[in-house]
Amino acid sequence: MNDRYIAFDVETPNCANDRMSAIGITVLDGGEIVEEYATLVNPETRFDRFNIALTGITPAQAAEAPAFPELWAQIAPLMASGTLAAHNAPFDLAVLGKCLRDYGIRWRASVPYLCTCQMSRRLLPELPNHRLNTLCDRFHLELDHHRAGSDSHACGEILRRCLAWTGDPAPFLRTYDLLALRTLPRRRTGRGGRRYG
């Protein structure tokens, strides 16, 4: 399996969660963080007060940033260069899928992904919860929560630890349908290795 992973995190401007106001990307290759990228994004839509308070991103700040199509032209090769990963990945993947759809950008119909929240639930069942900040406390990682660059970095560090423990990411690998905006059901294997489901 490819041992290159693209840990990413998005922040959103409002409760619709169909645009991003920031994205952070942390690339792991061979078990090490080799690249990081973070930027604000102009969502070209309204901001809710709650999201401004949560992320610290204001409409004025985002207005100076690239809109998603311009940004995607820059980051698409990076996003396609490994297996995607995020903390609570279905949320981030849904936002990505909606941005691609609403801007009419054709990319992939589906993508394999790992979710560090799901991985940590199975690997660290003793924790009271598996929120990003709880895991950062457990691993003594710095976190400026709801800042996309910091969140993606934390996700990358947690992913490194989860991968080192499990040794095999295959049991945690899922597929997200970017068109239907949902995780696809896993195909189960019956006796004799026959797949069903």
Side-chain angles (χ1 to χ4, degrees):
M1 175 175 277
N2 183 357
D3 62 354
R4 183 175 169 92
Y5 300 93
I6 314 303
F8 78 107
D9 176 82
V10 302
E11 302 300 330
T12 60
N14 59 54
C15 62
N17 294 324
D18 59 358
R19 292 288 187 277
M20 56 182 75
S21 53
I23 187 168
I25 302 170
T26 299
V27 181
L28 282 78
D29 204 338
E32 299 298 324
I33 292 175
V34 296
E35 187 175 351
E36 296 189 79
Y37 175 85
T39 185
L40 296 180
V41 184
N42 183 346
E44 300 185 304
T45 190
R46 75 178 200 286
F47 279 73
D48 289 346
R49 276 189 227 173
F50 173 84
N51 296 68
I52 294 171
L54 185 70
T55 67
I57 302 168
T58 66
Q61 290 170 327
E64 301 299 317
F68 182 79
E70 180 185 348
L71 172 68
W72 186 250
Q74 298 171 28
I75 67 171
L78 187 59
M79 295 290 279
S81 68
T83 301
L84 296 181
H87 198 76
N88 192 20
F91 172 84
D92 298 90
L93 287 163
V95 175
L96 175 61
K98 290 172 186 175
C99 286
L100 291 166
R101 176 197 67 195
D102 293 350
Y103 280 104
I105 298 170
R106 293 174 65 96
W107 190 46
R108 297 174 170 177
S110 63
V111 290
Y113 76 90
L114 294 171
C115 177
T116 51
C117 184
Q118 293 170 359
M119 293 177 81
S120 65
R121 280 188 186 128
R122 290 192 18 210
L123 297 170
L124 295 163
E126 71 278 9
L127 293 181
N129 62 63
H130 297 85
R131 297 185 187 113
L132 191 63
N133 56 329
T134 301
L135 289 164
C136 286
D137 288 344
R138 166 68 172 77
F139 294 127
H140 308 291
L141 300 171
E142 288 187 22
L143 177 68
D144 189 2
H145 206 6
H146 298 295
R147 303 307 184 261
S150 181
D151 286 2
S152 74
H153 180 85
C155 177
E157 290 286 3
I158 293 164
L159 181 62
R160 285 179 62 208
R161 287 157 175 80
C162 288
L163 290 170
W165 281 339
T166 185
D168 179 14
F172 301 96
L173 198 64
R174 303 296 303 272
T175 301
Y176 193 85
D177 186 326
L178 287 167
L179 303 178
L181 303 173
R182 66 184 181 95
T183 296
L184 296 175
R186 296 188 82 163
R187 293 180 63 91
R188 294 174 287 170
T189 303
R191 288 188 180 145
R194 293 183 63 184
R195 286 171 137 345
Y196 65 96

